[in-house]
Amino acid sequence: MTKFQMTISDVQVMQTWTLLMCAARDRKIYTDEELGKIINAIPVNVVDILRPIMKFCEKKEYPKLTILIVNANTRLPGIGLRGIDKTKIGEETEKIYEYPWLSVGVPDINDFKKADKE
Protein backbone atom coordinates (compact mmCIF):
# COMPACT_ATOMS: atom_id res chain seq x y z
CA MET A 1 0.00 0.00 0.00
CA THR A 2 1.37 3.40 -1.01
CA LYS A 3 1.12 6.16 1.53
CA PHE A 4 0.00 9.56 0.36
CA GLN A 5 1.80 12.48 1.93
CA MET A 6 0.82 16.09 1.41
CA THR A 7 3.44 18.82 1.34
CA ILE A 8 3.15 21.97 3.44
CA SER A 9 2.13 23.93 0.33
CA ASP A 10 -0.53 21.31 -0.46
CA VAL A 11 -1.99 21.80 3.00
CA GLN A 12 -1.84 25.58 2.55
CA VAL A 13 -3.73 25.35 -0.77
CA MET A 14 -6.44 23.26 0.87
CA GLN A 15 -6.65 25.62 3.85
CA THR A 16 -6.88 28.61 1.53
CA TRP A 17 -9.65 27.06 -0.58
CA THR A 18 -11.71 26.47 2.55
CA LEU A 19 -10.98 29.95 3.88
CA LEU A 20 -11.99 31.53 0.56
CA MET A 21 -15.26 29.60 0.40
CA CYS A 22 -16.11 30.86 3.88
CA ALA A 23 -14.96 34.38 2.99
CA ALA A 24 -17.34 34.36 0.02
CA ARG A 25 -20.20 33.19 2.22
CA ASP A 26 -19.39 35.90 4.79
CA ARG A 27 -18.74 38.57 2.12
CA LYS A 28 -15.22 39.08 3.44
CA ILE A 29 -11.93 40.07 1.85
CA TYR A 30 -8.49 39.22 3.27
CA THR A 31 -5.13 40.83 2.62
CA ASP A 32 -2.17 38.75 1.52
CA GLU A 33 -0.63 39.43 4.94
CA GLU A 34 -3.73 38.17 6.77
CA LEU A 35 -3.82 35.03 4.64
CA GLY A 36 -0.12 34.49 5.26
CA LYS A 37 -0.65 34.62 9.00
CA ILE A 38 -3.62 32.24 8.86
CA ILE A 39 -1.85 29.60 6.75
CA ASN A 40 1.67 30.28 8.08
CA ALA A 41 3.14 31.59 4.81
CA ILE A 42 5.05 34.76 4.08
CA PRO A 43 3.06 37.14 1.86
CA VAL A 44 5.48 36.80 -1.05
CA ASN A 45 4.69 33.04 -1.14
CA VAL A 46 0.93 33.59 -1.04
CA VAL A 47 0.88 33.92 -4.84
CA ASP A 48 2.16 30.34 -5.14
CA ILE A 49 -0.68 29.18 -2.90
CA LEU A 50 -3.33 31.15 -4.81
CA ARG A 51 -2.21 30.24 -8.35
CA PRO A 52 -3.51 26.62 -8.33
CA ILE A 53 -6.82 27.84 -6.92
CA MET A 54 -7.13 30.53 -9.58
CA LYS A 55 -6.35 28.06 -12.36
CA PHE A 56 -8.78 25.52 -10.93
CA CYS A 57 -11.53 28.17 -10.89
CA GLU A 58 -10.73 29.08 -14.50
CA LYS A 59 -10.79 25.43 -15.58
CA LYS A 60 -14.16 24.85 -13.91
CA GLU A 61 -15.46 28.25 -15.07
CA TYR A 62 -16.12 29.31 -11.48
CA PRO A 63 -15.86 32.96 -10.47
CA LYS A 64 -12.25 33.80 -9.61
CA LEU A 65 -12.35 33.17 -5.88
CA THR A 66 -8.78 34.39 -5.46
CA ILE A 67 -9.72 38.04 -5.95
CA LEU A 68 -10.92 37.94 -2.35
CA ILE A 69 -7.23 38.19 -1.41
CA VAL A 70 -5.93 41.73 -1.86
CA ASN A 71 -2.53 43.33 -1.56
CA ALA A 72 -2.10 44.80 1.92
CA ASN A 73 -0.71 48.06 0.48
CA THR A 74 -2.85 48.67 -2.60
CA ARG A 75 -6.01 46.90 -1.34
CA LEU A 76 -6.36 45.54 -4.90
CA PRO A 77 -6.45 41.88 -5.90
CA GLY A 78 -3.33 40.54 -7.51
CA ILE A 79 -3.61 36.96 -8.64
CA GLY A 80 -7.03 36.11 -9.94
CA LEU A 81 -7.43 39.40 -11.73
CA ARG A 82 -6.24 37.85 -15.00
CA GLY A 83 -8.92 38.44 -17.61
CA ILE A 84 -10.94 40.79 -15.41
CA ASP A 85 -11.34 44.48 -16.21
CA LYS A 86 -10.09 46.37 -13.14
CA THR A 87 -13.11 48.66 -13.34
CA LYS A 88 -15.33 45.60 -12.80
CA ILE A 89 -13.75 44.23 -9.63
CA GLY A 90 -16.88 45.09 -7.67
CA GLU A 91 -19.09 43.15 -10.08
CA GLU A 92 -16.75 40.17 -10.05
CA THR A 93 -16.60 40.22 -6.26
CA GLU A 94 -20.38 40.21 -6.11
CA LYS A 95 -20.46 37.14 -8.41
CA ILE A 96 -18.11 35.41 -5.98
CA TYR A 97 -20.29 36.32 -3.01
CA GLU A 98 -23.41 35.00 -4.73
CA TYR A 99 -21.91 31.73 -6.02
CA PRO A 100 -22.96 28.57 -4.12
CA TRP A 101 -19.41 27.66 -3.04
CA LEU A 102 -20.45 25.39 -0.22
CA SER A 103 -22.21 23.13 -2.71
CA VAL A 104 -18.93 22.83 -4.65
CA GLY A 105 -17.17 21.39 -1.61
CA VAL A 106 -13.44 20.91 -1.26
CA PRO A 107 -11.70 19.50 -4.32
CA ASP A 108 -8.91 16.97 -4.02
CA ILE A 109 -5.39 18.44 -3.93
CA ASN A 110 -4.67 16.62 -7.20
CA ASP A 111 -7.41 18.66 -8.89
CA PHE A 112 -5.53 21.83 -7.96
CA LYS A 113 -2.19 20.38 -9.04
CA LYS A 114 -3.57 19.26 -12.40
CA ALA A 115 -5.13 22.67 -13.07
CA ASP A 116 -1.88 24.39 -12.11
CA LYS A 117 0.06 22.38 -14.71
CA GLU A 118 -2.33 23.15 -17.56
Side-chain angles (χ1 to χ4, degrees), residues 47-83:
V47 69
D48 293 326
I49 304 302
L50 294 174
R51 186 185 58 250
I53 295 171
M54 178 197 66
K55 289 185 173 184
F56 178 78
C57 288
E58 288 175 342
K59 180 180 177 184
K60 295 290 188 176
E61 297 182 359
Y62 295 151
K64 294 181 180 176
L65 193 54
T66 53
I67 69 169
L68 297 182
I69 305 297
V70 298
N71 180 283
N73 296 319
T74 66
R75 306 298 291 182
L76 292 172
I79 191 155
L81 201 55
R82 181 169 72 178

mmCIF file of all heavy atoms in Angstrom, residues 47-83:
data_model
loop_
_atom_site.group_PDB
_atom_site.id
_atom_site.type_symbol
_atom_site.label_atom_id
_atom_site.label_comp_id
_atom_site.label_asym_id
_atom_site.label_seq_id
_atom_site.Cartn_x
_atom_site.Cartn_y
_atom_site.Cartn_z
ATOM 1 N N VAL A 47 1.219 34.052 -3.415
ATOM 2 C CA VAL A 47 0.883 33.918 -4.839
ATOM 3 C C VAL A 47 1.005 32.471 -5.297
ATOM 4 O O VAL A 47 0.202 31.992 -6.095
ATOM 5 C CB VAL A 47 1.737 34.871 -5.718
ATOM 6 C CG1 VAL A 47 3.191 34.459 -5.762
ATOM 7 C CG2 VAL A 47 1.179 34.957 -7.115
ATOM 8 N N ASP A 48 1.984 31.737 -4.760
ATOM 9 C CA ASP A 48 2.157 30.335 -5.136
ATOM 10 C C ASP A 48 1.050 29.450 -4.571
ATOM 11 O O ASP A 48 0.774 28.388 -5.119
ATOM 12 C CB ASP A 48 3.520 29.821 -4.658
ATOM 13 C CG ASP A 48 4.666 30.498 -5.379
ATOM 14 O OD1 ASP A 48 4.514 30.826 -6.575
ATOM 15 O OD2 ASP A 48 5.718 30.712 -4.743
ATOM 16 N N ILE A 49 0.437 29.903 -3.494
ATOM 17 C CA ILE A 49 -0.679 29.178 -2.902
ATOM 18 C C ILE A 49 -1.970 29.488 -3.677
ATOM 19 O O ILE A 49 -2.806 28.615 -3.893
ATOM 20 C CB ILE A 49 -0.848 29.564 -1.412
ATOM 21 C CG1 ILE A 49 0.443 29.315 -0.629
ATOM 22 C CG2 ILE A 49 -2.037 28.872 -0.784
ATOM 23 C CD1 ILE A 49 0.957 27.917 -0.647
ATOM 24 N N LEU A 50 -2.111 30.730 -4.112
ATOM 25 C CA LEU A 50 -3.331 31.150 -4.810
ATOM 26 C C LEU A 50 -3.389 30.690 -6.267
ATOM 27 O O LEU A 50 -4.472 30.464 -6.802
ATOM 28 C CB LEU A 50 -3.471 32.668 -4.749
ATOM 29 C CG LEU A 50 -3.713 33.261 -3.366
ATOM 30 C CD1 LEU A 50 -3.684 34.778 -3.429
ATOM 31 C CD2 LEU A 50 -5.026 32.768 -2.793
ATOM 32 N N ARG A 51 -2.232 30.570 -6.912
ATOM 33 C CA ARG A 51 -2.206 30.245 -8.347
ATOM 34 C C ARG A 51 -2.967 28.955 -8.689
ATOM 35 O O ARG A 51 -3.801 28.958 -9.607
ATOM 36 C CB ARG A 51 -0.766 30.177 -8.858
ATOM 37 C CG ARG A 51 -0.673 29.995 -10.368
ATOM 38 C CD ARG A 51 0.756 29.811 -10.862
ATOM 39 N NE ARG A 51 1.367 28.659 -10.208
ATOM 40 C CZ ARG A 51 2.353 28.727 -9.297
ATOM 41 N NH1 ARG A 51 2.861 29.883 -8.948
ATOM 42 N NH2 ARG A 51 2.833 27.629 -8.757
ATOM 43 N N PRO A 52 -2.754 27.832 -7.974
ATOM 44 C CA PRO A 52 -3.514 26.621 -8.334
ATOM 45 C C PRO A 52 -5.020 26.789 -8.141
ATOM 46 O O PRO A 52 -5.815 26.223 -8.898
ATOM 47 C CB PRO A 52 -2.963 25.542 -7.394
ATOM 48 C CG PRO A 52 -1.751 26.100 -6.762
ATOM 49 C CD PRO A 52 -1.769 27.575 -6.931
ATOM 50 N N ILE A 53 -5.396 27.591 -7.160
ATOM 51 C CA ILE A 53 -6.821 27.836 -6.924
ATOM 52 C C ILE A 53 -7.405 28.664 -8.056
ATOM 53 O O ILE A 53 -8.482 28.363 -8.568
ATOM 54 C CB ILE A 53 -7.028 28.516 -5.549
ATOM 55 C CG1 ILE A 53 -6.600 27.561 -4.432
ATOM 56 C CG2 ILE A 53 -8.476 28.976 -5.385
ATOM 57 C CD1 ILE A 53 -6.558 28.176 -3.049
ATOM 58 N N MET A 54 -6.673 29.701 -8.475
ATOM 59 C CA MET A 54 -7.133 30.534 -9.584
ATOM 60 C C MET A 54 -7.290 29.693 -10.850
ATOM 61 O O MET A 54 -8.311 29.764 -11.537
ATOM 62 C CB MET A 54 -6.155 31.674 -9.844
ATOM 63 C CG MET A 54 -6.564 32.552 -11.020
ATOM 64 S SD MET A 54 -5.230 33.587 -11.652
ATOM 65 C CE MET A 54 -4.104 32.368 -12.301
ATOM 66 N N LYS A 55 -6.283 28.871 -11.140
ATOM 67 C CA LYS A 55 -6.350 28.058 -12.362
ATOM 68 C C LYS A 55 -7.459 27.013 -12.293
ATOM 69 O O LYS A 55 -8.102 26.717 -13.294
ATOM 70 C CB LYS A 55 -4.990 27.413 -12.626
ATOM 71 C CG LYS A 55 -3.949 28.421 -13.074
ATOM 72 C CD LYS A 55 -2.660 27.732 -13.443
ATOM 73 C CE LYS A 55 -1.682 28.709 -14.050
ATOM 74 N NZ LYS A 55 -0.453 28.031 -14.498
ATOM 75 N N PHE A 56 -7.688 26.474 -11.106
ATOM 76 C CA PHE A 56 -8.784 25.520 -10.932
ATOM 77 C C PHE A 56 -10.118 26.209 -11.196
ATOM 78 O O PHE A 56 -10.981 25.659 -11.893
ATOM 79 C CB PHE A 56 -8.746 24.926 -9.512
ATOM 80 C CG PHE A 56 -9.865 23.983 -9.225
ATOM 81 C CD1 PHE A 56 -9.831 22.677 -9.704
ATOM 82 C CD2 PHE A 56 -10.962 24.384 -8.495
ATOM 83 C CE1 PHE A 56 -10.877 21.796 -9.445
ATOM 84 C CE2 PHE A 56 -12.012 23.513 -8.228
ATOM 85 C CZ PHE A 56 -11.963 22.217 -8.707
ATOM 86 N N CYS A 57 -10.293 27.415 -10.658
ATOM 87 C CA CYS A 57 -11.530 28.173 -10.886
ATOM 88 C C CYS A 57 -11.722 28.459 -12.374
ATOM 89 O O CYS A 57 -12.832 28.335 -12.897
ATOM 90 C CB CYS A 57 -11.522 29.479 -10.091
ATOM 91 S SG CYS A 57 -11.744 29.260 -8.314
ATOM 92 N N GLU A 58 -10.640 28.824 -13.060
ATOM 93 C CA GLU A 58 -10.726 29.078 -14.500
ATOM 94 C C GLU A 58 -11.136 27.810 -15.248
ATOM 95 O O GLU A 58 -12.000 27.849 -16.120
ATOM 96 C CB GLU A 58 -9.388 29.587 -15.038
ATOM 97 C CG GLU A 58 -9.081 31.005 -14.614
ATOM 98 C CD GLU A 58 -7.701 31.465 -15.060
ATOM 99 O OE1 GLU A 58 -6.837 30.622 -15.404
ATOM 100 O OE2 GLU A 58 -7.475 32.687 -15.043
ATOM 101 N N LYS A 59 -10.502 26.699 -14.910
ATOM 102 C CA LYS A 59 -10.792 25.435 -15.582
ATOM 103 C C LYS A 59 -12.260 25.034 -15.402
ATOM 104 O O LYS A 59 -12.902 24.571 -16.342
ATOM 105 C CB LYS A 59 -9.876 24.340 -15.031
ATOM 106 C CG LYS A 59 -10.097 22.986 -15.648
ATOM 107 C CD LYS A 59 -9.168 21.947 -15.051
ATOM 108 C CE LYS A 59 -9.478 20.589 -15.633
ATOM 109 N NZ LYS A 59 -8.676 19.538 -15.011
ATOM 110 N N LYS A 60 -12.781 25.220 -14.209
ATOM 111 C CA LYS A 60 -14.165 24.850 -13.906
ATOM 112 C C LYS A 60 -15.164 25.946 -14.257
ATOM 113 O O LYS A 60 -16.359 25.774 -14.095
ATOM 114 C CB LYS A 60 -14.301 24.511 -12.412
ATOM 115 C CG LYS A 60 -13.528 23.295 -11.994
ATOM 116 C CD LYS A 60 -14.172 22.062 -12.569
ATOM 117 C CE LYS A 60 -13.548 20.809 -12.029
ATOM 118 N NZ LYS A 60 -14.220 19.607 -12.498
ATOM 119 N N GLU A 61 -14.649 27.081 -14.733
ATOM 120 C CA GLU A 61 -15.463 28.251 -15.071
ATOM 121 C C GLU A 61 -16.235 28.779 -13.863
ATOM 122 O O GLU A 61 -17.374 29.228 -13.970
ATOM 123 C CB GLU A 61 -16.389 27.952 -16.256
ATOM 124 C CG GLU A 61 -15.612 27.631 -17.518
ATOM 125 C CD GLU A 61 -16.485 27.385 -18.733
ATOM 126 O OE1 GLU A 61 -17.723 27.438 -18.641
ATOM 127 O OE2 GLU A 61 -15.901 27.141 -19.805
ATOM 128 N N TYR A 62 -15.579 28.714 -12.705
ATOM 129 C CA TYR A 62 -16.116 29.309 -11.483
ATOM 130 C C TYR A 62 -15.678 30.773 -11.440
ATOM 131 O O TYR A 62 -14.677 31.143 -12.059
ATOM 132 C CB TYR A 62 -15.546 28.630 -10.238
ATOM 133 C CG TYR A 62 -15.904 27.181 -10.043
ATOM 134 C CD1 TYR A 62 -15.030 26.341 -9.370
ATOM 135 C CD2 TYR A 62 -17.112 26.640 -10.482
ATOM 136 C CE1 TYR A 62 -15.334 25.003 -9.145
ATOM 137 C CE2 TYR A 62 -17.420 25.301 -10.265
ATOM 138 C CZ TYR A 62 -16.523 24.494 -9.596
ATOM 139 O OH TYR A 62 -16.827 23.175 -9.374
ATOM 140 N N PRO A 63 -16.377 31.605 -10.693
ATOM 141 C CA PRO A 63 -15.860 32.962 -10.472
ATOM 142 C C PRO A 63 -14.468 32.859 -9.832
ATOM 143 O O PRO A 63 -14.172 31.895 -9.131
ATOM 144 C CB PRO A 63 -16.869 33.574 -9.495
ATOM 145 C CG PRO A 63 -18.118 32.790 -9.686
ATOM 146 C CD PRO A 63 -17.670 31.390 -10.027
ATOM 147 N N LYS A 64 -13.648 33.847 -10.078
ATOM 148 C CA LYS A 64 -12.254 33.803 -9.607
ATOM 149 C C LYS A 64 -12.169 34.124 -8.120
ATOM 150 O O LYS A 64 -11.929 35.259 -7.713
ATOM 151 C CB LYS A 64 -11.393 34.722 -10.449
ATOM 152 C CG LYS A 64 -11.297 34.214 -11.870
ATOM 153 C CD LYS A 64 -10.433 35.071 -12.726
ATOM 154 C CE LYS A 64 -10.392 34.511 -14.131
ATOM 155 N NZ LYS A 64 -9.629 35.359 -15.021
ATOM 156 N N LEU A 65 -12.316 33.084 -7.340
ATOM 157 C CA LEU A 65 -12.353 33.165 -5.884
ATOM 158 C C LEU A 65 -11.133 33.890 -5.300
ATOM 159 O O LEU A 65 -11.229 34.538 -4.265
ATOM 160 C CB LEU A 65 -12.424 31.730 -5.350
ATOM 161 C CG LEU A 65 -12.768 31.441 -3.925
ATOM 162 C CD1 LEU A 65 -14.087 32.096 -3.540
ATOM 163 C CD2 LEU A 65 -12.853 29.947 -3.696
ATOM 164 N N THR A 66 -10.021 33.813 -5.989
ATOM 165 C CA THR A 66 -8.776 34.385 -5.456
ATOM 166 C C THR A 66 -8.765 35.916 -5.420
ATOM 167 O O THR A 66 -7.885 36.487 -4.783
ATOM 168 C CB THR A 66 -7.564 33.882 -6.261
ATOM 169 O OG1 THR A 66 -7.790 34.116 -7.646
ATOM 170 C CG2 THR A 66 -7.334 32.406 -6.017
ATOM 171 N N ILE A 67 -9.725 36.574 -6.052
ATOM 172 C CA ILE A 67 -9.718 38.044 -5.954
ATOM 173 C C ILE A 67 -10.190 38.514 -4.585
ATOM 174 O O ILE A 67 -10.138 39.707 -4.298
ATOM 175 C CB ILE A 67 -10.483 38.761 -7.093
ATOM 176 C CG1 ILE A 67 -11.978 38.537 -7.015
ATOM 177 C CG2 ILE A 67 -9.919 38.386 -8.441
ATOM 178 C CD1 ILE A 67 -12.759 39.443 -7.969
ATOM 179 N N LEU A 68 -10.579 37.566 -3.726
ATOM 180 C CA LEU A 68 -10.923 37.938 -2.348
ATOM 181 C C LEU A 68 -9.673 38.141 -1.494
ATOM 182 O O LEU A 68 -9.770 38.511 -0.331
ATOM 183 C CB LEU A 68 -11.829 36.882 -1.711
ATOM 184 C CG LEU A 68 -13.191 36.690 -2.368
ATOM 185 C CD1 LEU A 68 -14.003 35.655 -1.604
ATOM 186 C CD2 LEU A 68 -13.947 38.004 -2.480
ATOM 187 N N ILE A 69 -8.496 37.903 -2.083
ATOM 188 C CA ILE A 69 -7.232 38.195 -1.413
ATOM 189 C C ILE A 69 -6.640 39.412 -2.096
ATOM 190 O O ILE A 69 -6.388 39.407 -3.297
ATOM 191 C CB ILE A 69 -6.245 37.007 -1.503
ATOM 192 C CG1 ILE A 69 -6.865 35.731 -0.955
ATOM 193 C CG2 ILE A 69 -4.936 37.359 -0.794
ATOM 194 C CD1 ILE A 69 -7.231 35.770 0.517
ATOM 195 N N VAL A 70 -6.450 40.477 -1.308
ATOM 196 C CA VAL A 70 -5.931 41.727 -1.865
ATOM 197 C C VAL A 70 -4.563 42.046 -1.291
ATOM 198 O O VAL A 70 -4.193 41.570 -0.216
ATOM 199 C CB VAL A 70 -6.905 42.909 -1.600
ATOM 200 C CG1 VAL A 70 -8.247 42.666 -2.267
ATOM 201 C CG2 VAL A 70 -7.065 43.167 -0.106
ATOM 202 N N ASN A 71 -3.822 42.858 -2.015
ATOM 203 C CA ASN A 71 -2.527 43.331 -1.557
ATOM 204 C C ASN A 71 -2.734 44.235 -0.344
ATOM 205 O O ASN A 71 -3.604 45.114 -0.366
ATOM 206 C CB ASN A 71 -1.833 44.080 -2.703
ATOM 207 C CG ASN A 71 -0.488 44.603 -2.311
ATOM 208 O OD1 ASN A 71 -0.383 45.605 -1.613
ATOM 209 N ND2 ASN A 71 0.552 43.932 -2.777
ATOM 210 N N ALA A 72 -1.944 44.025 0.686
ATOM 211 C CA ALA A 72 -2.096 44.804 1.917
ATOM 212 C C ALA A 72 -1.854 46.295 1.694
ATOM 213 O O ALA A 72 -2.452 47.122 2.372
ATOM 214 C CB ALA A 72 -1.148 44.273 2.990
ATOM 215 N N ASN A 73 -1.021 46.647 0.734
ATOM 216 C CA ASN A 73 -0.707 48.062 0.482
ATOM 217 C C ASN A 73 -1.685 48.724 -0.471
ATOM 218 O O ASN A 73 -2.163 49.818 -0.215
ATOM 219 C CB ASN A 73 0.727 48.201 -0.052
ATOM 220 C CG ASN A 73 1.745 47.754 0.963
ATOM 221 O OD1 ASN A 73 1.615 48.033 2.152
ATOM 222 N ND2 ASN A 73 2.756 47.039 0.511
ATOM 223 N N THR A 74 -1.994 48.057 -1.571
ATOM 224 C CA THR A 74 -2.848 48.671 -2.599
ATOM 225 C C THR A 74 -4.327 48.400 -2.373
ATOM 226 O O THR A 74 -5.169 49.080 -2.943
ATOM 227 C CB THR A 74 -2.487 48.150 -3.999
ATOM 228 O OG1 THR A 74 -2.804 46.751 -4.071
ATOM 229 C CG2 THR A 74 -1.014 48.399 -4.320
ATOM 230 N N ARG A 75 -4.624 47.364 -1.583
ATOM 231 C CA ARG A 75 -6.008 46.904 -1.345
ATOM 232 C C ARG A 75 -6.671 46.420 -2.641
ATOM 233 O O ARG A 75 -7.894 46.341 -2.739
ATOM 234 C CB ARG A 75 -6.873 47.969 -0.673
ATOM 235 C CG ARG A 75 -6.309 48.529 0.603
ATOM 236 C CD ARG A 75 -6.135 47.529 1.693
ATOM 237 N NE ARG A 75 -7.397 47.046 2.222
ATOM 238 C CZ ARG A 75 -7.494 46.179 3.212
ATOM 239 N NH1 ARG A 75 -6.415 45.713 3.781
ATOM 240 N NH2 ARG A 75 -8.664 45.758 3.631
ATOM 241 N N LEU A 76 -5.858 46.074 -3.636
ATOM 242 C CA LEU A 76 -6.361 45.537 -4.900
ATOM 243 C C LEU A 76 -5.979 44.069 -5.019
ATOM 244 O O LEU A 76 -4.917 43.667 -4.530
ATOM 245 C CB LEU A 76 -5.772 46.296 -6.092
ATOM 246 C CG LEU A 76 -6.222 47.739 -6.246
ATOM 247 C CD1 LEU A 76 -5.410 48.417 -7.345
ATOM 248 C CD2 LEU A 76 -7.705 47.794 -6.576
ATOM 249 N N PRO A 77 -6.819 43.283 -5.677
ATOM 250 C CA PRO A 77 -6.451 41.880 -5.899
ATOM 251 C C PRO A 77 -5.258 41.795 -6.830
ATOM 252 O O PRO A 77 -5.076 42.650 -7.700
ATOM 253 C CB PRO A 77 -7.689 41.267 -6.546
ATOM 254 C CG PRO A 77 -8.645 42.354 -6.796
ATOM 255 C CD PRO A 77 -8.111 43.612 -6.221
ATOM 256 N N GLY A 78 -4.461 40.784 -6.626
ATOM 257 C CA GLY A 78 -3.327 40.544 -7.511
ATOM 258 C C GLY A 78 -3.660 39.363 -8.385
ATOM 259 O O GLY A 78 -4.285 39.479 -9.429
ATOM 260 N N ILE A 79 -3.335 38.174 -7.875
ATOM 261 C CA ILE A 79 -3.606 36.964 -8.639
ATOM 262 C C ILE A 79 -5.119 36.713 -8.657
ATOM 263 O O ILE A 79 -5.806 36.927 -7.679
ATOM 264 C CB ILE A 79 -2.833 35.764 -8.077
ATOM 265 C CG1 ILE A 79 -2.915 34.605 -9.042
ATOM 266 C CG2 ILE A 79 -3.320 35.380 -6.700
ATOM 267 C CD1 ILE A 79 -1.780 33.636 -8.928
ATOM 268 N N GLY A 80 -5.592 36.331 -9.788
ATOM 269 C CA GLY A 80 -7.026 36.112 -9.939
ATOM 270 C C GLY A 80 -7.645 37.197 -10.779
ATOM 271 O O GLY A 80 -8.744 37.065 -11.279
ATOM 272 N N LEU A 81 -6.909 38.276 -10.958
ATOM 273 C CA LEU A 81 -7.427 39.398 -11.730
ATOM 274 C C LEU A 81 -7.246 39.176 -13.230
ATOM 275 O O LEU A 81 -7.816 39.896 -14.032
ATOM 276 C CB LEU A 81 -6.712 40.678 -11.289
ATOM 277 C CG LEU A 81 -7.404 41.987 -11.587
ATOM 278 C CD1 LEU A 81 -8.806 41.990 -11.009
ATOM 279 C CD2 LEU A 81 -6.621 43.146 -11.026
ATOM 280 N N ARG A 82 -6.508 38.151 -13.584
ATOM 281 C CA ARG A 82 -6.245 37.851 -14.996
ATOM 282 C C ARG A 82 -7.567 37.720 -15.750
ATOM 283 O O ARG A 82 -8.453 36.956 -15.359
ATOM 284 C CB ARG A 82 -5.447 36.551 -15.075
ATOM 285 C CG ARG A 82 -5.093 36.153 -16.476
ATOM 286 C CD ARG A 82 -4.107 35.034 -16.480
ATOM 287 N NE ARG A 82 -4.727 33.777 -16.060
ATOM 288 C CZ ARG A 82 -4.067 32.630 -16.010
ATOM 289 N NH1 ARG A 82 -2.801 32.585 -16.309
ATOM 290 N NH2 ARG A 82 -4.682 31.535 -15.637
ATOM 291 N N GLY A 83 -7.718 38.502 -16.788
ATOM 292 C CA GLY A 83 -8.924 38.437 -17.610
ATOM 293 C C GLY A 83 -10.091 39.235 -17.072
ATOM 294 O O GLY A 83 -11.183 39.181 -17.615
#
